[in-house]
Amino acid sequence: MATEAALELDGVVAGYGQMTILNGTTFKVPASSITTVIGPNGAGKSTVFKTIFGLLKARTGTIRFQGRDITNLSPRALIEAGICYVPQGRNIFPQLSVRHNIELGAVAAGRGLTDMPARIEAALDRFPVLRKKADRQASTLSGGEQKQLEIVRGLLLDPKLVLIDEPSIGLSPLMVQETFAILTELRNKGVAILMIEQNAKSALAMSDFGIVLELGQTRIMDTAEAVLNDPRVAALFLGGSIEPKASGDNAPQVN
Amino acid sequence: MSTLINLIISGLATGSIYALVAIGFTLLWQTSQTINFAQGEFVMLPAFFMLAAMNAGFPFWAAILIGMALSMLILGVAFKRMLVDPMLKHGVLPLAIATMALSLAMKESVKQFYSAEAQPFPSLIPSIDLHVLGAVVSTQSLGVLAVGIGAVVALQFLLTRTSVGHQMQATAQNPTTARILGIPVERMIMYSFLINAGLVAIASVLVTPLYLAKFTSGETLGLAAFIAAIVGGFNQVRGAIVGGLLLGVVDNLAATYISTQYRAAVPLMLLIAVILFRPQGLLGSAEERTV
């Protein structure tokens, strides 16, 4: 990968209690690109995100963002550094209005942010559905609208890296297309996007790079196209596994 | 008719005190799953802080401020750090039982170290009877109602109109997401304990002149606040307000029109009816919580 890395993981080990999920996870996320992480259930995809975002402690290994060591920083410090995390599922405050939900995306900036009203207006302009329902309770939004709300909220502070976990889950095909379009637009503006998707094919089709995780280790890291056409990937999703030896050595294959 | 007006106004006055205590109760539940069975004793104790300050020679107004401060420190910060934080790790139920133990400990301590006798307590508002539309209304009732409503309005303003209030609501509704957005969740939870301590101290100043300061005086109040919170909807501050006011009026009317002996049963009947027919409370919403 010729492009400069926005995010680098090196030998990250993390897990829950006695259980280790990430076994020395190592990969790079290039700047201004969409990188999709795929892998079977239990491969550690969501765990990687939680560890990057400081919700889970990395026992060893380092995580670097734009060259700076960010291992085990707090979510708030990571937001300030320019990282945003949109987890799986519904992550809204159901009894607050849509507008107040969005405003909370700027909490980490504190009082330093003077153009907040303008930013919120711009966000609402970009998503007319949310503007229409700005003063309603967020619980009245549809699943897709809630996801849009989460993305808008995450983008309020102009992050340089977006971690987004299963954005398409539970959304209509049209909504998925729209969500992917937003991500592409962000990439074109220079934002690095790291995405987890079950829907591997359509996600890789719109991505620049692909990472295959298995048992908490990077098995393949290549261009999205190469990952999409790799016969081992098909085998992995049909219940097989990728032996580290298959790629020639024990280290994850990096082109 | 004039009696009815009188009963409703004094009922609303008592109800506004119930509402203050019930709001604190729901705030603690929402932000940290604390069912505080010592909430009644939390209202009883600040009055004794204030009495002790007055005995030490402070004027009434200074004693109120001292009582407030001690209340925030002991019923707010110390309660959270020393009882809620260590017990919540073991679950909601062990914590609830610990608060029952705390309630006993508080009652017995006051009896042991202060007095078992009921102590008179000065009133913030002088009691003068006003004649309005043929009804006799005491200024004390009106004053209690005004202070109670003032406190509720101020709290609602904080929760719904300020950024801190939104962050507190966010913490209550979805703590995981709140953390992901960089909201200082721990600090927001502490705020809700401090607000609860402030509310019970205000309730203490309002209610103690009527019922006197006694180690048992929290029992009925705690139960009333608990019922008010459930009747209104356990997960809604608005619900606690409506529940409190309703309970105050129902209580007062029952005492006059039904019988003083069955007075205590009427709120419980209201509670049973709500649990049977509208378990989420009058204003509450059904709650999904995975425990």
Side-chain angles (χ1 to χ4, degrees), chain A residues 55-76:
Chain A
L55 298 170
L56 197 62
K57 206 172 176 313
R59 290 179 202 149
T60 55
T62 52
I63 304 171
R64 290 177 170 279
F65 174 61
Q66 297 180 327
R68 173 187 162 206
D69 189 346
I70 57 153
T71 320
N72 294 331
L73 288 186
S74 72
R76 193 173 176 120

Side-chain angles (χ1 to χ4, degrees), chain B residues 14-103:
Chain B
T14 326
S16 68
I17 299 173
Y18 294 162
L20 293 182
V21 187
I23 290 169
F25 199 84
T26 56
L27 273 182
L28 294 195
W29 164 251
Q30 287 180 31
T31 53
S32 65
Q33 288 79 57
T34 306
I35 302 177
N36 184 17
F37 284 110
Q39 187 78 344
E41 281 63 45
F42 273 40
V43 181
M44 175 270 293
L45 197 62
F48 283 95
F49 292 153
M50 294 168 200
L51 282 175
M54 279 187 281
N55 288 347
F58 287 97
F60 185 42
W61 63 268
I64 291 179
L65 294 182
I66 292 170
M68 283 272 199
L70 283 176
S71 178
M72 298 243 186
L73 203 65
I74 294 169
L75 305 176
V77 180
F79 174 55
K80 179 179 185 297
R81 293 261 162 85
M82 295 166 72
L83 194 128
V84 175
D85 289 347
M87 287 308 291
L88 194 56
K89 289 183 199 126
H90 303 287
V92 173
L93 210 54
L95 172 57
I97 292 167
T99 65
M100 289 178 195
L102 177 66
S103 131

Side-chain angles (χ1 to χ4, degrees), chain A residues 123-136:
Chain A
L124 291 174
D125 283 340
R126 173 73 185 74
F127 296 92
V129 188
L130 297 182
R131 174 177 291 287
K132 218 173 80 191
K133 299 186 175 175
D135 296 315
R136 288 205 221 155

Side-chain angles (χ1 to χ4, degrees), chain A residues 130-149:
Chain A
L130 297 182
R131 174 177 291 287
K132 218 173 80 191
K133 299 186 175 175
D135 296 315
R136 288 205 221 155
Q137 279 203 345
S139 59
T140 61
L141 298 181
S142 74
E145 290 162 359
Q146 291 185 14
K147 208 64 201 174
Q148 285 192 344
L149 165 60

Side-chain angles (χ1 to χ4, degrees), chain A residues 53 55 75-76 79 85-87 90-96 100-101 103-108 137 153-154, chain B residues 159-160 163 165-167 169-171 173-184 187 235-236 238 285:
Chain A
F53 204 65
L55 298 170
R76 193 173 176 120
I79 297 170
Y85 172 43
V86 182
R90 305 277 168 259
N91 309 288
I92 57 157
F93 306 111
Q95 289 162 32
L96 286 176
H100 291 152
N101 261 276
E103 281 174 6
L104 286 170
V107 163
Q137 279 203 345
R153 188 177 62 191
Chain B
L159 287 178
T160 59
S163 174
H166 293 156
Q167 293 180 51
Q169 288 197 59
T171 300
Q173 291 172 28
N174 194 337
T176 314
T177 301
R179 201 163 273 131
I180 284 167
L181 296 181
I183 293 173
R187 199 193 312 161
N235 50 12
Q236 291 279 339
R238 275 176 301 145
S285 50

Side-chain angles (χ1 to χ4, degrees), chain B residues 136-162:
Chain B
V136 183
V137 180
S138 115
T139 48
Q140 201 165 11
S141 289
L142 291 176
V144 166
L145 191 57
V147 175
I149 289 176
V152 168
V153 168
L155 179 65
Q156 279 292 58
F157 181 83
L158 172 79
L159 287 178
T160 59
R161 296 289 161 87
T162 67

